[in-house]
Amino acid sequence: MIKYVIVLLFSINLLHAQANASQTNTKVKVGDVFEIGKPETNKYKYIDFPKANFIIKRGGIANYKRVEGEKVVVTSVKEKKDGSTKIKIKRVDGNRFFGSHSIVSVDFFGAMESGELQTL
């Protein structure tokens, strides 16, 4: 019985170590270039694009499919106390997202895992 408990604890620790290693391997710094991918659903969950009404109010066109494949550069990185990393991105070509917003914030680890943000 004690053997099973020891094997169970060892397995749990090993899985926990693997989960932590996958999160800490990806470091991001200002100047890194990424590509915006396709979201899993109709909306981007981890990239904080503005709602359509705010885009239209500022004179832009709210077409979320046009941002797929756009190359973006990281302008700032903030690590939160809970372990998440918030970054701000802008387009490499200098244009605005949807013609109205120049900088957008992103939950980095969530966006990378979901495929909303991809490395080049």
Side-chain angles (χ1 to χ4, degrees):
M1 179 70 176
I2 293 177
K3 290 190 290 186
Y4 296 115
V5 172
I6 292 172
V7 169
L8 178 68
L9 290 175
F10 179 73
S11 299
I12 290 173
N13 284 335
L14 184 64
L15 291 174
H16 182 68
Q18 287 177 343
N20 286 342
S22 67
Q23 287 182 350
T24 57
N25 283 344
T26 309
K27 292 290 184 185
V28 63
K29 61 184 183 290
V30 175
D32 287 348
V33 178
F34 295 99
E35 182 177 354
I36 296 178
K38 186 174 181 178
E40 295 173 349
T41 61
N42 293 339
K43 297 181 179 180
Y44 286 90
K45 183 176 180 181
Y46 300 104
I47 301 177
D48 296 331
F49 285 127
K51 293 182 181 179
N53 61 336
F54 291 114
I55 296 170
I56 294 168
K57 276 184 182 179
R58 293 186 66 182
I61 299 172
N63 185 356
Y64 293 97
K65 292 188 183 247
R66 290 180 64 190
V67 296
E68 291 176 19
E70 287 291 332
K71 291 178 180 40
V72 294
V73 63
V74 177
T75 59
S76 72
V77 179
K78 288 187 181 178
E79 294 194 17
K80 301 288 183 174
K81 291 181 183 177
D82 62 355
S84 65
T85 302
K86 286 282 193 180
I87 63 172
K88 294 199 178 202
I89 58 173
K90 68 177 185 176
R91 288 177 52 169
V92 171
D93 59 7
N95 292 337
R96 295 173 176 257
F97 293 103
F98 313 109
S100 63
H101 292 78
S102 57
I103 295 177
V104 176
S105 63
V106 178
D107 177 13
F108 180 68
F109 291 119
M112 291 298 287
E113 288 178 8
S114 68
E116 292 179 8
L117 202 62
Q118 301 169 350
T119 57
L120 291 177

